[in-house]
């Protein structure tokens, strides 16, 4: 608890970044939840709703890796401020949407928002290690993992209410307001980089070549050393599983558990409860354990709980175990996220951290799309439960592999060694 207090009370800049992330993520959930409801009401088409998911994923796959290169060149704080402003301005076209004939405007806005997010996320993850002491990094990442759970609980509820009360205009204005508040918080951050990468004037070919070389360097770091290669493969395997989970969990609740839409919504949101509790536990106790152990044990426990949840309908009827499992899985999920983020931050140096995160996020997005596609094809062929069991096994086996390679992931492994 002492480290938790030190991070929240004494690290002013980190506290402002954490608060900005919480506010903007709440706005994201407001828009995401309300927009999904509003588009379906407007069109009555599940295909139109699926288009929202595609528009939000494409920037991650196509732009994520390249965006990280620019993040390494720019001041991270300034990047986060500018993207918040652009986020707010980019939502204004939603005020012009009145019926399904302007549906293309919604898709363009979501596409633009997704592109901006590819610059914000690597900048945030790269900035955090500069705002806290090394021994506080696990605690800081644990608190970061909590923000999405808290935002999910608050924003998802507000999104439905605002969609019903004022439709798209109110959703857009509410989300834009959160971005402006986040921008105000980031303006108060006093941290300034010790060095700024200055771009000298040069020809177009040279500039393009420089971007290409830095982009390739980010990918090379991800796959060129044992430790980062383990991070990369783990992200691919679990990303495919998460894609399958996002596709088949609603059918699982309906067909295997016999639940309705309300039950699905409550079961899904209940994971945030465990995530908040897990984040607090990891923030308080995390510094006593290595980040790699938090990652490994978190993944093993996450996979085991998922396996229990997906297999119990074969032996037991009822929804209660699903609620219990979803709450419980949030705790190791918080440990997994905090440990993994800390490992990545410690294995990379400040000059390349943005492009590494960008490459990892892009690979994760591609894996999610593969999982979504595979689950859609295999769900009817082999069944819902077997596909979801494979998701749980991915986390469980991945965690065991991480625990077997703790020597490679030790804090003594320097960024230089990662590139060997």
């Amino acid at each position: 608890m002492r480290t938790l207090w030190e991070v929240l009370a004494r690290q002013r800049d980190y506290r402002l970044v954490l608060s900005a992330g919480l506010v903007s993520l709440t706005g994201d959930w407001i828009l995401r939840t309300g927009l999904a409801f509003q588009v379906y009401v407007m069109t009555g088409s599940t295909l139109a709703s699926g288009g929202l998911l595609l528009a939000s994923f494409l920037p991650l796959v196509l732009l994520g890796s390249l965006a990280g290169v620019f993040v390494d060149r720019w001041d991270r704080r300034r990047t986060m401020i500018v993207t918040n402003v652009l986020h707010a301005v980019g939502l204004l076209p939603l005020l012009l949407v009145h019926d399904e004939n302007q549906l293309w405007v919604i898709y363009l806005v979501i596409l633009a928002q997704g592109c901006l997010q590819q610059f914000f996320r690597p900048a945030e993850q790269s900035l955090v290690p500069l705002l806290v002491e090394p021994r506080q990094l696990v605690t800081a990442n644990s608190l970061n993992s909590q923000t999405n759970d808290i935002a999910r609980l608050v924003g998802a509820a507000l999104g439905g209410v605002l969609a019903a009360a004022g439709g798209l205009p109110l959703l857009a204005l509410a989300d834009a307001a959160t971005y402006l508040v986040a921008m105000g918080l980031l303006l108060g951050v006093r941290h300034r980089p010790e060095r700024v990468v200055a771009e000298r004037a040069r020809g177009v070919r040279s500039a393009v070549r420089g971007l290409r070389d830095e982009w390739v360097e980010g990918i090379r770091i991800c796959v060129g050393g044992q430790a980062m290669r383990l991070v990369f493969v783990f992200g691919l395997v679990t990303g495919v599983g998460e894609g399958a989970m996002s596709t088949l969990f609603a059918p699982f609740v309906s067909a295997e558990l016999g639940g309705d839409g309300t039950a699905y919504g409550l079961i899904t949101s209940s994971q945030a409860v465990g995530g908040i509790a897990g984040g607090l536990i990891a923030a308080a106790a995390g510094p006593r354990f290595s980040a790699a152990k938090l990652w490994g044990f978190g993944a093993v426990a996450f996979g085991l709980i998922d396996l229990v949840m997906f297999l119990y309908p074969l032996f037991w009827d009822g929804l209660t175990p699903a609620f219990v499992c979803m709450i419980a899985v949030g705790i190791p999920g918080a440990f997994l996220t905090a440990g993994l983020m800390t490992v990545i931050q410690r294995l990379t140096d400040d000059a390349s951290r943005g492009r590494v995160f960008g490459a990892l996020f892009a690979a994760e997005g591609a894996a999610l799309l593969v999982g979504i596609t595979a689950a859609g094809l295999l769900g009817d062929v082999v069944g819902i439960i077997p596909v979801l069991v494979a998701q749980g096994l991915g986390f469980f086996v991945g965690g065991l592999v991480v625990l077997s390679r703790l020597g490679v992931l030790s804090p003594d492994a320097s960024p230089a060694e990662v590139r060997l």
Side-chain angles (χ1 to χ4, degrees), residues 49-98:
S49 298
L52 287 176
L53 185 63
L54 180 62
S56 63
F57 268 124
L58 276 178
L60 176 59
V61 178
L62 300 178
L63 184 62
S65 184
L66 183 61
V69 175
F70 289 99
V71 168
D72 283 336
R73 294 181 171 202
W74 299 337
D75 179 337
R76 278 76 181 264
R77 167 185 168 274
R78 190 174 301 155
T79 299
M80 295 167 68
I81 291 171
V82 171
T83 52
N84 272 296
V85 174
L86 294 177
H87 267 303
V89 174
L91 289 166
L92 296 181
L94 292 180
L95 301 177
L96 305 176
V97 178
H98 302 292

Side-chain angles (χ1 to χ4, degrees), residues 46-361:
T46 56
L47 181 61
S49 298
L52 287 176
L53 185 63
L54 180 62
S56 63
F57 268 124
L58 276 178
L60 176 59
V61 178
L62 300 178
L63 184 62
S65 184
L66 183 61
V69 175
F70 289 99
V71 168
D72 283 336
R73 294 181 171 202
W74 299 337
D75 179 337
R76 278 76 181 264
R77 167 185 168 274
R78 190 174 301 155
T79 299
M80 295 167 68
I81 291 171
V82 171
T83 52
N84 272 296
V85 174
L86 294 177
H87 267 303
V89 174
L91 289 166
L92 296 181
L94 292 180
L95 301 177
L96 305 176
V97 178
H98 302 292
D99 55 51
E100 59 183 300
N101 292 325
Q102 288 96 34
L103 191 63
W104 61 273
V105 176
I106 298 178
Y107 291 149
L108 283 180
V109 168
I110 295 302
L111 192 65
Q113 297 286 303
C115 289
L116 291 170
Q117 195 65 16
Q118 305 321 305
F119 294 91
F120 184 89
R121 289 180 67 198
E124 181 183 36
Q125 293 296 342
S126 300
L127 183 60
V128 168
L130 306 179
L131 304 180
V132 298
E133 299 175 16
R135 64 183 180 83
Q136 300 171 333
L137 193 53
V138 171
T139 298
N141 284 318
S142 300
L143 292 171
N144 272 0
S145 73
Q146 277 195 302
T147 57
N148 190 55
D149 292 313
I150 297 173
R152 181 178 182 174
L153 282 177
V154 177
L158 286 176
V161 172
L162 294 177
L168 282 179
L170 188 55
L171 288 171
L173 292 174
D175 194 17
T178 63
Y179 282 121
L180 294 177
V181 171
M183 178 205 68
L185 291 168
L186 291 170
L187 285 171
V189 174
R190 296 169 182 165
H191 171 80
R192 297 295 185 274
E194 294 181 1
R195 59 173 187 81
V196 176
V197 178
E199 283 295 303
R200 297 178 180 177
R202 53 185 177 176
V204 174
R205 288 186 180 180
S206 180
V208 171
R209 191 181 301 115
L211 281 174
R212 182 198 62 194
D213 292 344
E214 291 176 34
W215 174 68
V216 170
E217 173 70 7
I219 296 176
R220 191 181 72 81
I221 293 174
C222 289
V223 299
Q226 293 185 51
M228 283 302 302
R229 191 159 53 240
L230 178 57
V231 170
F232 189 75
V233 173
F234 180 89
L236 289 178
V237 172
T238 56
V240 171
E242 287 298 285
M245 174 78 169
S246 66
T247 303
L248 295 181
F249 193 64
F252 171 76
V253 172
S254 176
E256 306 295 341
L257 302 184
D260 56 14
T262 301
Y264 167 70
L266 291 174
I267 291 172
T268 301
S269 62
S270 63
Q271 183 176 349
V273 177
I276 293 170
L280 282 174
I281 296 171
R288 302 177 186 176
F289 306 95
S290 76
K293 285 184 178 179
L294 286 178
W295 170 21
F297 283 116
V300 168
F302 190 96
L304 283 175
I305 295 172
D306 269 5
L307 289 172
V308 170
M309 178 169 60
F310 298 142
L311 290 172
Y312 91 81
L314 299 176
F315 313 99
W316 188 279
D317 293 326
L319 295 172
T320 301
F323 279 104
V324 173
C325 286
M326 282 298 279
I327 293 173
V329 82
I331 297 176
F335 278 66
L336 188 165
T337 302
L340 178 57
M341 286 298 104
T342 304
V343 166
I344 297 170
Q345 290 163 345
R346 286 176 175 169
L347 289 175
T348 52
D349 54 40
D350 185 52
S352 61
R353 194 170 287 135
R355 75 194 76 166
V356 170
F357 272 113
L360 291 173
F361 290 151

